[in-house]
Amino acid sequence: MIDFKNIPDWWALCPGENCPRAGECLRHRVYYEAPTRFSQWACVLPHVRRDGECWYFQKDEIVRMVRGMKALYAAIRDRRVCADIRKDLMACFGSNGAYYRYHNGERWMNPEMQQMIQAVLKRNGYNGEAQYDEVVFSYDFTIRPEADI
């Protein structure tokens, strides 16, 4: 059973029963598991499926989610490398505010973000594995389709 308190209110569900990928889509699964106490929620409209592809498709799988980067910096001894990594990550996250929300553990980071962080570490000469303040294995409710951006 999926815990709805972990799902952001902007994260769209999918009622698309005729979709060929409904059986493997997290959005479709969550739609059917929605508690009866909810009378409304954002939903995916049928026109987002084009040529057999859906902008909103998200695989129904458990992934490694992390948050907080204080342990990452604590593991890196060289202050100059830390400063360079911080500067590059701020650029990747798009703003100082967004960077600090991830750094302080206010937002979860999905596997794609973890790969991006690992690439920044490597580019700055740190070959160790990124350390995070918290690691859990759960569904990824962080993804916003590019169609919404």
Side-chain angles (χ1 to χ4, degrees):
M1 189 71 165
I2 293 173
D3 188 350
F4 265 69
K5 73 177 183 208
N6 296 328
I7 304 174
D9 57 3
W10 54 260
W11 199 83
L13 311 183
C14 181
E17 292 186 26
N18 297 329
C19 177
R21 299 187 78 186
E24 60 180 326
C25 181
L26 180 59
R27 292 178 190 281
H28 188 69
R29 177 178 173 201
V30 172
Y31 172 78
Y32 277 100
E33 290 190 17
T36 57
R37 72 179 184 273
F38 294 119
S39 61
Q40 59 183 350
W41 199 278
C43 282
V44 175
L45 298 174
H47 72 271
V48 301
R49 260 185 303 161
R50 290 198 183 134
D51 302 324
E53 290 297 317
C54 176
W55 301 335
Y56 284 77
F57 175 77
Q58 190 165 341
K59 189 134 179 78
D60 182 0
E61 66 182 348
I62 302 287
V63 296
R64 179 179 184 253
M65 300 293 291
V66 301
R67 68 177 171 185
M69 293 188 281
K70 293 174 184 164
L72 182 144
Y73 291 108
I76 302 170
R77 303 268 187 244
D78 188 329
R79 296 273 184 225
R80 288 177 303 184
V81 171
C82 284
D84 291 342
I85 289 170
R86 182 176 289 113
K87 185 179 91 179
D88 285 356
L89 288 176
M90 282 182 181
C92 289
F93 287 118
S95 73
N96 291 356
Y99 165 79
Y100 281 107
R101 282 189 283 283
Y102 287 108
H103 177 271
N104 293 328
E106 295 172 28
R107 291 185 180 170
W108 288 100
M109 293 176 277
N110 63 29
E112 291 79 17
M113 296 175 85
Q114 295 168 52
Q115 290 173 350
M116 180 259 316
I117 291 169
Q118 197 64 46
V120 167
L121 295 178
K122 187 173 183 177
R123 189 169 55 243
N124 283 283
Y126 183 76
N127 293 317
E129 187 69 29
Q131 303 296 311
Y132 298 98
D133 302 343
E134 185 176 357
V135 177
V136 299
F137 290 87
S138 69
Y139 294 103
D140 180 2
F141 296 112
T142 65
I143 298 172
R144 285 182 183 246
E146 290 186 27
D148 280 355
I149 298 174

